[in-house]
Amino acid sequence: MPHDLPKAYEPAAIEARWAEYWVKENLFAVPTPDKDDKRPVFSILLPPPNVTGRLHMGHMLNQTQMDIITRWHRMRGYIALWLPGTDHAGIATQMMVEKQLASEGKKRRDLGREKFIERVWEWKKQYGSAITDQMRRLGASVDWSREYFTMDENLSRAVREVFVRLYEQGLIYRGKYIVNWCPRCETAISDLEVKHEEVPGKLWEIRYPVIGTNEFITVATTRPETMLGDTAVAVNERDERYTHLHGKKVMLPLMNREIPIITDELAQPEFGTGAVKVTPAHDPNDFEAGLRANLPVIEVMDEHAQMNQNAGRFAGMDRYTARKEVLENLREQGFLVGEKDYTVALGKCDRCGTVVEPRLSMQWFIKIQPLADRAIEVVENDYIRIIPANYRTIYLNWMKNIHDWCISRQLWWGHRIPAWHCACGKIIVSRETPTKCHKCGGSELKQDPDVLDTWFSSGLLPFTALGWPEPTRDLEVFYPTSLLITGFDILFFWVARMIMLGCWFMAPPQKPGTGNEHVGAGAIARPGAQGAPAQLSEHDLRNSVPYREVYIHALVRDAERQKMSKTKGNVLDPIQVIEKYGTDATRFTLAAMSSPGTDIAFNESRTEGYRAFANKIWNAARFMFMNVDRIGSWGAEPALSERPAGGSRMGTPTREASSELRPDRTECARSHTGIAGFQSATLEDRWILSRFNSVTREVNEALPAYRFDEAANAIYDFFWGEFCDWYIELIKPRLTQGSPDAKTTCANLVALFESSLRLLHPVMPFITDEIWHAIYDGNPPQKSLALAAYPQADEKQIDKAAETHMAILQDLIVSVRNLRAELKVETKAKVPVEVFAPDADIQALIEQNRGALERLANVDELRFAASSLEKLSNVRHTARFDVRLLYEQKIDVAAEREKIKKEFEKAEKELANGERQLGNEQFIAKAPGPVVDKLRARVEELRILIEKLRKKLDELG
Ligand SMILES: [Zn+2]
Ligand SMILES: [Zn+2]
């Protein structure tokens, strides 16, 4: 028996083997389907991790969910493409290499741009696949043959194409703008990349002398060094304190520069003195005010946040030294009139933690409104569904208040902007490197030094990764993709940009504009004016979206619901969790805890529990194989149809057992197509078949609704609770020698097990493939369970009567077990029981299954009472029967009363709850029919039970 499972379940060994096998066999590669392939399509893009990344719990959750959905579709016959890749991650990667250089005592400028980029590529070659290697351990069923990198040649060409087209459409401009500037990274960073932190700081009050008077105007600031660049003082038009100063000038202290007093809404009379200094070069609001009043712009700091020559005697100082010096000087000269404690919201660079400085610089922008308009329309029309729905609102609010997107970054690593500057001032934007200026004919053209924001290229991936701008078959088949699963943190960075860019470029072609020679916001024309279709048809818009659905997953927190952070030291490394409990158990934990709208408080004890679940399945499989081998060695057994009626009283076999049931497990299993080969003969057979189909239905309904928790829990309860704990126990006597249907029972067991493995596979792919291969003795019908068919519920097999009957039987067995425990009956001692069941059918049911009761509750005799057992002790009451343990023990009336009282109270509470739910119209409208029916039946039962217990309490006095 070469394929026997080892005694102990060792996930590490199993998982490493399968992870390697799936990749080596290329099982998840999806060749471009040809025209006559009519299978349905499921496509999903992996949010590309940064090449610098390491797998964290968020990735693990994200990828587990994607893998479950993708495997599920694949098993249901879809062409299932999960497209992986990595992002070049501009700033992050550049910083990694800069750090490496620093350890050699070098800076990137020492190498020069070209050499530095070579170094980054080397770094990428050496370390860039760490994260995808980790993904392989998770069993992610991606198509590795299609793996891309955002700096690949074809993707870079697509990026250039997009930039040039947007430019030609008049949607890209260059402008001086106040941007968030990181002096360490020496680049502009977007609002989204700035982390705000509240810190204690100071508010300084400075008075400026008004020229030609004895008066002063007092202004307040948290950044006094910027006063060196003030070009006005603003007061509010309405503020009567300053009416008499309108039109006058102040003398800027330390600089001895005259600057005007202007009126502007920037100054709020309610706030402070009502007067504010205006520094257009160093504050975004002042910049706007400066534009309104046509003020000069004086920069006093450079790109390193050092004071420049415009800062007079402070030139060359860094911003904090300058702050000290400025304050010192102001104090000495009597201009500093106040200093207050003040909470400052400091903006810090998300990457390096340096305090950002608002800085005026020349940047490239996308005129975003036309793109945003479409991105709003597709979501408002539900061409893209965002789940959970609250993120739809957040998305729409953001999109409706969007600002132009600053797409240039002052980095070396990234997609360089395809624009060339000529000495004559002409800028040439082109797909290919130009050789001549079309204005002056000059040939000394310098490419713009900036690169594009990383999110620019990743925002294009849904179509560029499928071959755009070529009209590929892949685009035809896989675009729009079916689904995106991602975290809230990149909803604006990435999700929103993909929607804007996808809807713009994947709608029918825009006629190119006239080209935009001038740059700057003023020169932008709406694309509608340039011959693009003013209105897209519903069909075109619907099919331009990058994906049909977006599922935003929760955050993974620690067991105490704290956010994981390096500073708190509570970051869980998924690889360590996997090493401890196995990937299957870790995946199962994340799935079972993924309830919508709630963050996951990751608790290792849950993972430990799911490792035990895997272990349970393992042991059940070993039990099954032992029986297959044992029973297989016996001779032939008569076919069911030839057998006396007794054995199959409860059901008609669905198919004749035949010589197909051969004495080895391969044949035993292969003779069935999964559950279809299951032949139900007894109550437990009909019950488990019914339960299997119910659970299958539940899982197949839960997954498309992203209820990973419901799917996982349903499978767990079925596989462990019903299949392993009840069904296997119930059929054990039928597997013994001499049992007339041992082979059928064994074949049933295999068929059911095989189908249950299919059901579980998307969540626990490793252990299921391992056991599945063992069932087929290493010679399975497909190369992997991942390629086998997923179970579909057969409604005809859902047998309510069998489920009700089995519930009564289970109730009886559990009641006896509980009574035994309460009375402290020795485990091995057999005890007689007496049952009162007023309904003749129920009495017959118990009678027919007395064997199960005897075995599973250790009962040696079953008697039926003619009348109620209410007056007796050692009794458990239920709505359908009373059961009494015939066991001598002194009765403690008080204790008995206390016990009954507790039962009574519990039942009343449950009844009240049930009645309340049934009275809730919303619940009735929303809950599935079977759930409501079940609740109604339970309420009925509880009413009977409460009546019984009330009588009993009366009798006990
Ligand atoms: Zn930085
Ligand atoms: Zn020129």
Side-chain angles (χ1 to χ4, degrees):
M1 289 177 286
H3 296 282
D4 266 348
L5 299 179
K7 196 161 179 201
Y9 163 60
E10 306 271 8
I14 297 171
E15 290 172 356
R17 184 152 39 79
W18 287 108
E20 199 196 321
Y21 172 84
W22 294 330
V23 173
K24 200 185 76 216
E25 293 288 320
N26 250 328
L27 291 188
F28 308 124
V30 182
T32 304
D34 55 38
K35 293 249 188 237
D36 3 302
D37 198 334
K38 295 284 181 262
R39 286 177 295 162
V41 172
F42 174 81
S43 55
I44 184 167
L45 187 76
L46 172 81
N50 288 350
V51 276
T52 51
R54 286 290 182 279
L55 211 65
H56 56 64
M57 269 297 178
H59 289 127
M60 172 109 199
L61 171 68
N62 179 244
Q63 295 186 12
T64 296
Q65 293 180 339
M66 278 187 276
D67 198 41
I68 290 172
I69 293 285
T70 308
R71 284 179 186 266
W72 179 67
H73 276 97
R74 189 181 290 116
M75 291 178 78
R76 286 161 72 239
Y78 281 68
I79 304 174
L81 171 64
W82 183 6
L83 193 54
T86 45
D87 196 288
H88 66 280
I91 299 185
T93 314
Q94 181 160 325
M95 273 180 64
M96 281 288 192
V97 179
E98 280 177 349
K99 252 189 230 162
Q100 214 181 38
L101 286 177
S103 70
E104 301 162 17
K106 282 188 242 165
K107 287 194 161 169
R108 82 180 136 108
R109 296 199 196 280
D110 300 337
L111 268 72
R113 187 165 188 145
E114 217 166 292
K115 283 267 176 299
F116 179 79
I117 289 171
E118 271 172 35
R119 256 314 266 267
V120 183
W121 279 107
E122 267 169 46
W123 182 93
K124 193 248 169 191
K125 224 161 114 191
Q126 206 173 348
Y127 305 104
S129 60
I131 188 136
T132 48
D133 289 344
Q134 288 182 317
M135 273 184 73
R136 285 174 172 82
R137 297 186 62 174
L138 302 190
S141 65
V142 301
D143 181 353
W144 291 111
S145 72
R146 289 172 180 263
E147 185 182 357
Y148 63 81
F149 177 54
T150 48
M151 293 275 282
D152 283 345
E153 182 48 41
N154 55 334
L155 290 183
S156 301
R157 212 171 334 149
V159 166
R160 218 150 51 226
E161 180 67 31
V162 163
F163 185 95
V164 174
R165 283 196 201 181
L166 285 172
Y167 184 79
E168 286 171 351
Q169 290 162 359
L171 294 175
I172 283 188
Y173 64 90
R174 243 176 131 228
K176 273 234 162 184
Y177 208 75
I178 287 266
V179 291
N180 302 298
W181 183 269
C182 174
R184 200 229 63 97
C185 299
E186 290 176 38
T187 180
I189 54 181
S190 77
D191 290 344
L192 295 168
E193 290 161 314
V194 178
K195 281 237 162 84
H196 290 278
E197 223 174 81
E198 301 232 312
V199 294
K202 298 261 189 244
L203 186 70
W204 288 280
E205 291 174 345
I206 310 167
R207 58 179 192 173
Y208 294 177
V210 181
I211 295 171
T213 69
N214 300 324
E215 289 185 57
F216 293 91
I217 282 192
T218 303
V219 297
T221 178
T222 57
R223 295 186 301 148
E225 66 282 9
T226 61
M227 67 151 305
L228 305 173
D230 284 1
T231 53
V233 167
V235 295
N236 197 291
E237 180 104 57
R238 295 175 281 129
D239 196 337
E240 288 169 6
R241 286 174 290 179
Y242 299 112
T243 314
H244 67 291
L245 297 181
H246 289 183
K248 294 206 180 311
K249 291 184 170 180
V250 296
M251 181 59 74
L252 184 65
L254 310 185
M255 301 304 287
N256 295 324
R257 194 149 40 76
E258 288 183 15
I259 56 174
I261 296 169
I262 60 165
T263 55
D264 193 274
E265 288 301 310
L266 189 63
Q268 292 297 314
E270 308 74 45
F271 188 76
T273 61
V276 294
K277 61 198 266 313
V278 186
T279 325
H282 295 283
D283 181 278
N285 296 320
D286 292 12
F287 179 73
E288 298 290 338
L291 287 181
R292 286 193 290 270
N294 209 8
L295 295 175
V297 176
I298 301 176
E299 288 181 68
V300 292
M301 256 182 254
D302 66 9
E303 68 267 34
H304 310 289
Q306 279 189 1
M307 309 315 284
N308 64 13
Q309 72 285 355
N310 295 332
R313 78 191 96 132
F314 305 97
M317 294 180 191
D318 83 60
R319 52 184 163 170
Y320 299 118
T321 315
R323 179 173 300 176
K324 259 174 53 195
E325 292 290 320
V326 164
L327 286 169
E328 196 58 38
N329 280 280
L330 288 171
R331 192 174 288 124
E332 277 168 14
Q333 299 176 30
F335 294 116
L336 186 67
V337 291
E339 181 180 303
K340 290 178 186 157
D341 288 334
Y342 192 76
T343 305
V344 183
L346 265 194
K348 290 187 171 177
C349 172
D350 198 17
R351 290 284 159 202
C352 72
T354 305
V355 175
V356 298
E357 196 64 45
R359 179 164 189 261
L360 197 63
S361 64
M362 190 59 99
Q363 301 289 343
W364 293 86
F365 290 86
I366 294 186
K367 179 93 185 152
I368 210 73
Q369 201 57 52
L371 282 71
D373 288 344
R374 272 192 204 172
I376 290 167
E377 197 178 346
V378 291
V379 170
E380 280 185 339
N381 289 341
D382 286 331
Y383 302 158
I384 298 177
R385 279 183 63 220
I386 300 181
I387 306 148
N390 59 314
Y391 291 115
R392 181 182 187 270
T393 316
I394 295 173
Y395 166 91
L396 286 171
N397 281 341
W398 186 79
M399 203 55 99
K400 286 174 181 171
N401 294 298
I402 198 166
H403 300 291
D404 283 357
W405 177 13
C406 173
I407 49 171
S408 43
R409 294 291 181 273
Q410 289 64 48
L411 300 173
W412 284 354
W413 175 241
H415 297 105
R416 197 155 169 187
I417 289 179
W420 284 263
H421 301 261
C422 176
C424 76
K426 169 86 185 156
I427 294 173
I428 301 156
V429 169
S430 163
R431 289 168 182 83
E432 307 300 334
T433 308
T435 50
K436 237 196 217 160
C437 170
H438 347 124
K439 196 173 164 199
C440 72
S443 58
E444 269 197 43
L445 302 173
K446 278 198 192 126
Q447 186 169 5
D448 196 282
D450 292 355
V451 300
L452 288 164
D453 181 3
T454 302
W455 300 102
F456 185 92
S457 51
S458 52
L460 309 170
L461 286 171
F463 50 100
T464 54
L466 292 169
W468 190 93
E470 303 307 319
T472 62
R473 172 79 186 138
D474 277 341
L475 273 172
E476 210 178 310
V477 176
F478 298 114
Y479 193 95
T481 63
S482 315
L483 171 67
L484 177 78
I485 299 186
T486 190
F488 170 68
D489 55 338
I490 52 175
L491 181 61
F492 307 133
F493 275 123
W494 193 47
V495 179
R497 267 102 181 234
M498 275 191 284
I499 297 177
M500 289 191 282
L501 292 163
C503 295
W504 196 254
F505 284 95
M506 293 306 288
Q510 310 277 302
K511 279 186 201 148
T514 50
N516 198 344
E517 303 294 316
H518 318 283
V519 286
I524 300 304
R526 287 302 187 97
Q530 298 190 4
Q535 199 87 52
L536 282 172
S537 71
E538 183 191 324
H539 172 270
D540 288 340
L541 201 53
R542 218 180 246 287
N543 290 314
S544 70
V545 299
Y547 25 74
R548 304 278 184 209
E549 295 193 343
V550 181
Y551 177 71
I552 304 287
H553 64 69
L555 263 182
V556 185
R557 295 170 178 267
D558 75 2
E560 274 74 51
R561 298 209 163 270
Q562 297 285 313
K563 215 168 166 174
M564 291 189 192
S565 80
K566 275 185 198 151
T567 40
K568 278 188 220 144
N570 63 346
V571 178
L572 265 183
D573 177 357
I575 299 295
Q576 278 172 16
V577 180
I578 282 172
E579 276 165 3
K580 220 157 143 193
Y581 305 103
T583 310
D584 277 335
T586 314
R587 288 170 60 116
F588 203 96
T589 312
L590 290 167
M593 296 185 82
S594 302
S595 52
T598 329
D599 285 347
I600 294 176
F602 193 93
N603 195 329
E604 281 192 41
S605 67
R606 289 282 293 263
T607 318
E608 206 178 338
Y610 295 126
R611 191 194 186 285
F613 173 50
N615 205 50
K616 182 85 184 175
I617 294 170
W618 187 262
N619 289 336
R622 283 177 43 82
F623 170 82
M624 170 179 73
F625 289 136
M626 187 190 80
N627 279 285
V628 169
D629 292 339
R630 199 169 48 87
I631 294 168
S633 67
W634 305 340
E637 95 184 4
L640 276 181
S641 52
E642 295 164 19
R643 260 183 247 142
S648 54
R649 208 199 57 82
M650 288 249 179
T652 322
T654 51
R655 191 196 286 183
E656 247 181 47
S658 67
S659 54
E660 278 173 1
L661 291 171
R662 296 250 176 76
D664 76 79
R665 70 174 67 146
T666 312
E667 289 306 320
C668 198
R670 197 181 290 158
S671 61
H672 305 292
T673 349
I675 204 70
F678 190 95
Q679 307 184 33
S680 54
T682 64
L683 171 62
E684 68 264 15
D685 288 346
R686 286 187 294 121
W687 165 72
I688 201 72
L689 197 56
S690 174
R691 289 300 307 140
F692 175 80
N693 282 288
S694 297
V695 169
T696 299
R697 185 175 63 184
E698 229 174 292
V699 173
N700 283 329
E701 283 171 4
L703 288 181
Y706 310 109
R707 292 304 305 259
F708 299 96
D709 54 336
E710 284 179 359
N713 292 326
I715 299 171
Y716 178 90
D717 291 343
F718 170 77
F719 214 145
W720 188 327
E722 299 184 314
F723 185 20
C724 293
D725 279 356
W726 284 100
Y727 184 71
I728 291 183
E729 289 307 321
L730 285 164
I731 62 167
K732 273 182 179 168
R734 293 163 63 197
L735 294 168
T736 53
Q737 194 144 19
S739 151
D741 65 346
K743 288 198 173 177
T744 312
T745 305
C746 184
N748 276 348
L749 177 60
V750 175
L752 187 67
F753 211 112
E754 203 257 9
S755 298
S756 304
L757 291 173
R758 290 172 189 246
L759 204 59
L760 176 60
H761 179 75
V763 192
M764 286 190 160
F766 297 98
I767 188 176
T768 51
D769 221 359
E770 174 82 6
I771 300 174
W772 192 73
H773 273 76
I775 284 181
Y776 291 97
D777 241 355
N779 188 21
Q782 284 89 17
K783 277 185 167 176
S784 161
L785 179 50
L787 305 181
Y790 202 72
Q792 292 300 308
D794 178 356
E795 301 291 328
K796 291 194 299 295
Q797 301 288 1
I798 296 180
D799 184 339
K800 285 290 158 211
E803 292 197 17
T804 310
H805 286 166
M806 184 53 76
I808 294 169
L809 202 59
Q810 286 172 324
D811 203 4
L812 177 62
I813 291 168
V814 171
S815 296
V816 175
R817 285 178 183 164
N818 289 344
L819 280 168
R820 292 178 61 106
E822 277 162 27
L823 298 171
K824 301 197 171 61
V825 180
E826 258 183 79
T827 321
K828 285 193 178 152
K830 290 189 186 295
V831 174
V833 298
E834 188 173 30
V835 172
F836 170 65
D839 184 325
D841 286 347
I842 291 174
Q843 180 167 335
L845 169 80
I846 296 171
E847 173 64 44
Q848 282 148 16
N849 290 283
R850 67 159 64 220
L853 173 67
E854 286 168 5
R855 231 162 23 80
L856 301 183
N858 223 1
V859 164
D860 60 357
E861 196 192 339
L862 168 67
R863 290 183 211 156
F864 285 99
S867 59
S868 161
L869 305 178
E870 271 157 37
K871 297 199 169 137
L872 300 162
S873 52
N874 296 354
V875 177
R876 173 96 10 166
H877 303 274
T878 73
R880 295 200 179 82
F881 61 83
D882 296 343
V883 58
R884 173 179 173 227
L885 216 58
L886 300 170
Y887 184 73
E888 290 304 321
Q889 197 207 39
K890 257 192 132 34
I891 304 153
D892 178 344
V893 176
E896 180 77 1
R897 193 176 193 291
E898 201 44 45
K899 199 182 79 195
I900 305 270
K901 201 171 149 226
K902 272 197 187 127
E903 274 176 52
F904 179 79
E905 283 163 357
K906 195 175 144 222
E908 279 213 308
K909 209 168 162 190
E910 194 188 338
L911 178 66
N913 271 337
E915 283 174 336
R916 201 190 49 237
Q917 269 186 299
L918 288 175
N920 179 343
E921 278 171 30
Q922 255 189 329
F923 168 77
I924 300 287
K926 270 192 185 161
V931 171
V932 177
D933 291 346
K934 210 168 157 185
L935 189 61
R936 285 215 171 94
R938 180 66 189 153
V939 161
E940 253 342 285
E941 279 179 16
L942 284 165
R943 285 185 183 135
I944 299 170
L945 178 62
I946 285 167
E947 210 28 61
K948 278 188 178 184
L949 293 171
R950 194 196 307 281
K951 271 193 201 163
K952 178 107 183 185
L953 278 174
D954 288 347
E955 272 151 22
L956 287 168

